[in-house]
Amino acid sequence: MAFKCIIVDDEPPATRILENYIGKVNFLEKEGVFNDSLKALEFLNSKSVDVIFLDIQMPQLTGLQLSKIISKNIKVIFTTAYPDFALEGFELNAVDYLLKPISFERFYQAVSKLNSEPKSETVIAPNSRDFIFIKTDGKNKFQKVFLADILYVESLQNYVCIHTSKQQIITHSSLKNVIESLPSTDFIQIHKSYVVSLQHIESTDNFSVFVNEKELPIGATFKDAFFDKIEENKI
């Protein structure tokens, strides 16, 4: 399957290089090139793409600002001549951060990550909402975990750690996949690296959630939704 992609960069030499590189990769399919973030946003409002090669320093709307507006389903690969933005780029869950001038080897390394994202190893048991099976070490080896026992889930790059009242279980998966296997009525994401059980929250303040005497940070992106959920259950 080819990944549909667009280029958003106001420097013609940079867009020509990216177009050339995309044409050499059989799992990439170019859908458009834009030298203006607002034009790209207008395009994305009516068309769906999988990947955006996004320059950071652009007029009107910067690449960082655009990445916060577009659908979370679109994977972002930042391209820029300024290394100072790398940390913020990765905080936005970018697939990669390419520093200009970009070599084809480095470009291919970045786009190869699109095909290597961990698949879900967490499966909801049929006809049940009170437990899940977690893939552990070994072929076809799963561990049954009751939802009521889960305190919180922590992202560890290509792995996640399920913290329960009895143990910690590490599985090769993404936090996104685990979230999709948990009922939204009982669990909520509070940070790019943490999902917590509402049942096991002991207390909270403006910056942290406390679960089983563990302090977990509240990310700015998730703060409003989290406190909306708290508001629903307050007395």
Side-chain angles (χ1 to χ4, degrees):
M1 182 192 78
F3 292 94
K4 295 181 179 181
C5 57
I6 63 171
I7 300 168
V8 184
D9 196 314
D10 63 341
E11 299 176 3
T15 59
R16 285 195 293 268
I17 290 173
L18 289 173
E19 285 185 90
N20 180 40
Y21 288 172
I22 290 171
K24 294 180 179 180
V25 180
N26 60 10
F27 57 82
L28 295 179
E29 182 179 314
K30 187 190 72 178
E31 293 290 307
V33 179
F34 303 90
N35 60 9
D36 183 308
S37 293
L38 295 180
K39 291 179 181 178
L41 184 59
E42 183 178 350
F43 175 86
L44 293 172
N45 284 334
S46 59
K47 305 285 185 179
S48 62
V49 301
D50 303 303
V51 187
I52 177 171
F53 294 93
L54 184 57
D55 188 19
I56 290 181
Q57 289 289 80
M58 301 221 296
Q60 299 187 76
L61 196 64
T62 70
L64 292 174
Q65 291 171 328
L66 178 61
S67 70
K68 296 175 183 178
I69 297 173
I70 61 176
S71 168
K72 302 300 182 185
N73 294 324
I74 301 175
K75 302 179 190 304
V76 176
I77 297 178
F78 284 114
T79 62
T80 183
Y82 301 92
D84 295 345
F85 293 107
L87 179 60
E88 187 171 357
F90 281 119
E91 287 178 345
L92 292 169
N93 292 325
V95 172
D96 210 333
Y97 183 100
L98 299 178
L99 189 61
K100 299 175 182 178
I102 303 166
S103 68
F104 179 72
E105 179 182 6
R106 183 67 183 87
F107 174 87
Y108 193 81
Q109 180 184 18
V111 298
S112 293
K113 295 179 181 180
L114 299 171
N115 284 320
S116 61
E117 288 199 341
K119 295 180 180 179
S120 175
E121 299 287 8
T122 304
V123 182
I124 294 183
N127 304 318
S128 174
R129 293 296 295 173
D130 61 350
F131 63 87
I132 56 176
F133 284 111
I134 305 295
K135 180 73 166 59
T136 56
D137 293 336
K139 184 178 181 181
N140 294 328
K141 186 176 181 181
F142 293 84
Q143 182 164 342
K144 183 178 182 180
V145 178
F146 285 95
L147 298 180
D149 289 336
I150 298 176
L151 303 174
Y152 62 95
V153 183
E154 179 181 8
S155 173
L156 303 171
Q157 295 184 341
N158 290 334
Y159 294 83
V160 294
C161 181
I162 314 292
H163 295 262
T164 77
S165 54
K166 302 174 183 176
Q167 61 186 320
Q168 297 178 4
I169 306 167
I170 296 178
T171 182
H172 186 266
S173 186
S174 67
L175 191 63
K176 177 178 179 294
N177 287 328
V178 174
I179 291 171
E180 291 174 351
S181 298
L182 297 173
S184 59
T185 52
D186 301 318
F187 293 86
I188 187 167
Q189 186 166 8
I190 61 167
H191 185 273
K192 65 179 182 179
S193 298
Y194 293 101
V195 171
V196 300
S197 164
L198 291 167
Q199 176 184 345
H200 290 288
I201 292 176
E202 296 169 349
S203 63
T204 181
D205 57 29
N206 202 38
F207 305 101
S208 305
V209 171
F210 297 86
V211 178
N212 198 35
E213 299 183 352
K214 172 76 173 180
E215 182 177 0
L216 306 176
I218 300 175
T221 305
F222 306 95
K223 190 173 185 178
D224 289 346
F226 171 69
F227 281 107
D228 284 345
K229 180 66 71 172
I230 295 296
E231 189 73 18
E232 291 175 9
N233 293 277
K234 78 173 186 179
I235 59 173

